[in-house]
């Protein structure tokens, strides 16, 4: 987790500037901008993002397409069955992050535990694998020490630690579209039903939506999303927040953050806009 103070802009951004910034990082199109209301905080993200274009490997493209087809079919079946059973969880085992910037290592071990049910893994080992530093854990652009790294450290770490898991990255535009939100519902049901969690890379900004208990400042943060509400076909999801349980001497605002919380799937998709999630 990395938080920074709000950086006021010197001039108002126009729609044209926002569109140009979105196109520059390859995350949106004029058609999407014309049909989707701009998400709260999207102009801030467009103005300050330094990530640049992201690319999937050919293998990731093939795997993502196959998983999407499977997830879509399964989700259609879920809606047809109209299951009323409350929350279904893959069962991640929470850990509070050990430092102010180890949300990534904590999210890695939590996400991994949803599959293999092993608690108490070393966050130091996870931080070393992810190449986490005082700026946090990168979403993209870091090759870690695994065979055939792809530049997505969380993806590569999960696939290295869970052979056969087939995790892929899903990048999101600053303003996630209706399709992005629908896909996320399909992805969380797919992963949960197959006993996997999702690692979500939140980018919270002033004026935009925030995770439960988080203050209205800019925060880059990893969480593990480990379940969904079956009554609403995943309109709400459950996530585990590594800030929960952290001493306020480490993170001043941690006292108001729960270890586990429910949130609208559309809201968390918007929160991850400009970065994305690993599913």
């Amino acid at each position: 987790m990395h938080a920074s103070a709000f950086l006021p802009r010197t001039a108002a951004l126009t729609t044209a500037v926002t569109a140009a910034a979105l196109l520059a990082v390859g995350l949106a199109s004029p058609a999407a901008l014309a049909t989707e209301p701009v998400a709260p905080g999207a102009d801030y993200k467009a103005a300050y993002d330094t990530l640049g274009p992201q690319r999937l490997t050919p293998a990731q493209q093939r795997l993502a397409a196959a998983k999407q087809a499977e997830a879509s079919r399964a989700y259609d079946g879920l809606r047809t069955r109209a299951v009323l059973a409350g929350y279904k969880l893959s069962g991640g085992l929470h850990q509070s992050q050990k430092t102010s910037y180890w949300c990534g290592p904590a999210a890695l071990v939590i996400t991994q535990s949803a599959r293999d049910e092993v608690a108490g893994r070393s966050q130091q080992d996870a931080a070393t694998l992810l190449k986490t530093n005082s700026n946090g854990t990168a979403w993209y652009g870091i090759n870690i020490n695994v065979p055939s790294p792809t530049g997505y450290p969380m993806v590569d770490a999960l696939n290295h630690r869970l052979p056969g898991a087939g995790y892929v990255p899903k990048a999101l535009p600053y303003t996630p579209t209706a399709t992005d939100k629908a896909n996320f519902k399909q992805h969380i049901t797919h992963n949960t039903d197959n006993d996997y969690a999702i690692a979500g890379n939140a980018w919270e900004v002033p004026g935009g939506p925030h995770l439960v208990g988080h203050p209205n400042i800019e925060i880059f943060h990893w969480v593990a999303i480990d379940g969904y509400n079956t009554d609403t076909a995943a309109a709400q999801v459950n996530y585990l927040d590594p800030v929960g349980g952290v001493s306020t001497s480490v993170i001043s605002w941690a006292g108001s953050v729960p270890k586990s919380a429910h949130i609208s799937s559309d809201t968390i998709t918007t929160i991850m806009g400009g970065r994305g999630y690993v599913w």
Side-chain angles (χ1 to χ4, degrees):
M1 186 278 299
H2 172 66
S4 63
F6 170 57
L7 301 174
R9 285 166 285 140
T10 56
L13 293 174
T14 65
T15 301
V17 171
T18 301
L22 289 167
L23 290 169
V25 296
L27 292 175
S29 67
L33 290 170
T35 58
E36 298 290 338
V38 175
D43 57 350
Y44 181 101
K45 293 181 179 183
Y48 293 111
D49 196 5
T50 60
L51 182 62
Q54 304 165 51
R55 294 176 176 83
L56 300 182
T57 67
Q60 285 175 328
Q61 293 175 20
R62 292 191 296 270
L63 180 56
K67 290 185 71 173
Q68 178 60 61
E70 181 183 347
S72 179
R73 287 193 299 268
Y75 186 76
D76 288 343
L78 171 70
R79 291 191 301 173
T80 301
R81 294 194 304 273
V83 178
L84 299 176
Y87 274 85
K88 182 174 184 179
L89 305 176
S90 54
L93 304 172
H94 184 270
Q95 284 194 36
S96 301
Q97 60 191 77
K98 302 296 186 182
T99 75
S100 62
Y101 53 88
W102 273 11
C103 62
L108 171 58
V109 298
I110 295 169
T111 303
Q112 183 180 354
S113 73
R115 178 62 178 177
D116 63 19
E117 301 182 355
V118 176
R121 281 193 174 88
S122 166
Q123 290 184 30
Q124 177 64 73
D125 290 349
T128 300
L129 176 61
L130 290 166
K131 295 189 176 181
T132 301
N133 59 30
S134 60
N135 289 321
T137 300
W139 162 250
Y140 178 69
I142 299 294
N143 283 328
I144 65 172
N145 295 323
V146 299
S148 304
T150 68
Y152 290 91
M154 187 65 74
V155 175
D156 293 339
L158 283 167
N159 285 331
H160 177 67
R161 288 186 162 201
L162 294 170
Y167 273 99
V168 291
K170 174 60 178 176
L172 293 168
Y174 306 130
T175 297
T177 65
T179 298
D180 291 322
K181 293 173 181 177
N183 285 343
F184 176 72
K185 294 181 180 72
Q186 296 171 4
H187 297 168
I188 186 57
T189 57
H190 172 275
N191 275 38
T192 304
D193 290 351
N194 287 283
D195 201 27
Y196 288 98
I198 283 175
N201 194 194
W203 183 6
E204 303 168 276
V205 298
H210 283 66
L211 299 171
V212 177
H214 288 214
N216 187 35
I217 59 175
E218 183 173 42
I219 304 169
F220 292 95
H221 189 49
W222 284 96
V223 298
I225 308 166
D226 78 329
Y228 66 94
N229 189 313
T230 65
D231 299 0
T232 60
Q236 291 85 33
V237 297
N238 188 80
Y239 70 93
L240 302 173
D241 192 332
V243 174
V246 172
S247 169
T248 54
S249 65
V250 176
I251 299 175
S252 61
W253 44 267
S256 61
V257 178
K259 294 180 179 180
S260 177
H262 298 159
I263 194 170
S264 158
S265 60
D266 287 354
T267 298
I268 199 167
T269 304
T270 298
I271 290 172
M272 295 185 293
R275 291 301 181 263
Y277 56 92
V278 178
W279 74 287

